Amino acid sequence: MTNALSKMLAEKDYLLADGATGTNLFNMGLQSGDAPEFWNIDEPAKITALYKGAVDAGSDLFLTNTFGGNASRLKLHSAEKRVRELNRVGAELGRELADRTERKVIVAGSVGPTGEIMEPVGSLSHALAVEMFHEQAEGLKEGGVDVLWVETISAAEEFRAAAEGFDLAGMPWCGTMSFDTAGRTMMGITSADLVQLVESLPNPPIAFGANCGTGASDILRTVLGFVAQGTERPIVSKGNAGIPKYVHGHIHYDGTPELMADYAVMARDSGARIIGGCCGTTPEHLAHMREALDTRPRGERPTLEQITAALGAFTSASDGTGDDDGGEARTRRRRRRG
């Protein structure tokens, strides 16, 4: 049986994903340090409103409020025994909304990192990581998600453990890493490394890519890095709404809805098939992204100069792949081939 996301990707050239979870929940009253997953039980109307904000703005896909829903993270709130419950209910709220929506909307079960460092660098074993990812996956599956979605991963070992846990649950999945350190993840993975990792897995994801990181320019440079590897697997781009800045005691993202509209079109033209926002991205941003994607014609793959002219400078000189020119020569070579 064809899964819902693969079917939608076969029918559409690109999909609009959702925006931020934390940013929008903080706007609803969530306090710093609180576990957002508790709101699945305690504030279900607000979680439904979070999901509905993305759907009403035109998203084809939204993530559940379960990013920190693994045993390791929930243990910080003495809730490690509630993994199944919190994930199941977060998924059920999404399923109920999607089923009430007249058009088809994909419910993706959000799975974040464990928050621990895996062996051999850290102490978290592969077996325990797989167990944690499997437990969370089963809760999301029980709640009715269409696909599992691991995001903001930094280490290859954790990505592999998530893939194995999802395989045990018998669920299709997508996976993204956060390239926030000069074009690399915190653990040193490059865009080229992730492409190779994805294709080495016995159960590769439906789609893969990047989320969060730094600004919109940087994530598009990473998308171009994926494309340069010749991958034909759908690419995900979920960038932050601009650059995070600390203003009056709060993190503020400077990306306007207009900038995110430009970003969405450039992400599509760069080769991404699933395009959304991450931190700082509100329904207003998403509505502008939807309109831009639907009304602006597809263009040629943008150069790095065109990206920075439209979206602002990169936060680092290099894209992490080792090219002294920041990847421009590789991009030109790729453009000549395709």
Side-chain angles (χ1 to χ4, degrees), residues 77-224:
H77 305 276
S78 301
E80 65 271 26
K81 302 297 185 183
R82 300 181 66 189
V83 171
R84 192 104 172 204
E85 170 203 13
L86 293 171
N87 283 275
R88 174 181 54 77
V89 175
E92 286 174 345
L93 294 172
R95 182 77 270 150
E96 290 166 4
L97 174 65
D99 289 346
R100 291 198 307 269
T101 303
E102 292 184 0
R103 59 188 175 85
K104 179 64 178 177
V105 181
I106 301 295
V107 182
S110 176
V111 176
T114 63
E116 300 184 39
I117 304 297
M118 292 188 64
E119 294 176 344
V121 179
S123 59
L124 178 61
S125 69
H126 175 79
L128 184 54
V130 170
E131 182 181 321
M132 283 194 281
F133 285 123
H134 182 208
E135 180 183 29
Q136 187 173 5
E138 290 291 352
L140 292 166
K141 179 181 179 180
E142 188 177 345
V145 299
D146 296 299
V147 63
L148 301 172
W149 191 288
V150 65
E151 54 180 339
T152 326
I153 300 297
S154 296
E157 295 80 7
E158 193 161 29
F159 202 83
R160 289 193 192 96
E164 189 172 331
F166 299 163
D167 193 39
L168 291 172
M171 287 288 291
W173 65 287
C174 297
T176 60
M177 286 188 166
S178 181
F179 297 82
D180 52 10
T181 310
R184 294 173 178 259
T185 72
M186 183 178 68
M187 301 304 287
I189 301 297
T190 67
S191 55
D193 293 335
L194 179 54
V195 173
Q196 294 170 14
L197 171 61
V198 162
E199 298 306 330
S200 73
L201 295 169
N203 62 319
I206 294 171
F208 77 98
N211 79 292
C212 202
T214 47
S217 297
D218 292 70
I219 201 168
L220 293 192
R221 184 167 61 175
T222 298
V223 169
L224 291 176

Side-chain angles (χ1 to χ4, degrees), residues 27 41 75 90-91 107 118 150 183 247 269 272:
N27 290 341
I41 303 293
K75 187 176 182 179
V107 182
M118 292 188 64
V150 65
V247 181
D269 294 347

Side-chain angles (χ1 to χ4, degrees), residues 280-332:
T281 308
T282 67
E284 183 182 4
H285 291 95
L286 292 172
H288 280 71
M289 293 164 69
R290 176 84 270 172
E291 181 182 20
L293 286 167
D294 289 349
T295 60
R296 299 187 201 177
R298 183 178 292 276
E300 292 188 2
R301 188 172 302 151
T303 65
L304 298 183
E305 290 88 354
Q306 289 169 333
I307 290 171
T308 55
L311 304 178
F314 299 122
T315 59
S316 62
S318 170
D319 68 350
T321 63
D323 288 349
D324 292 337
D325 61 1
E328 178 58 21
R330 184 194 61 233
T331 303
R332 287 197 298 268

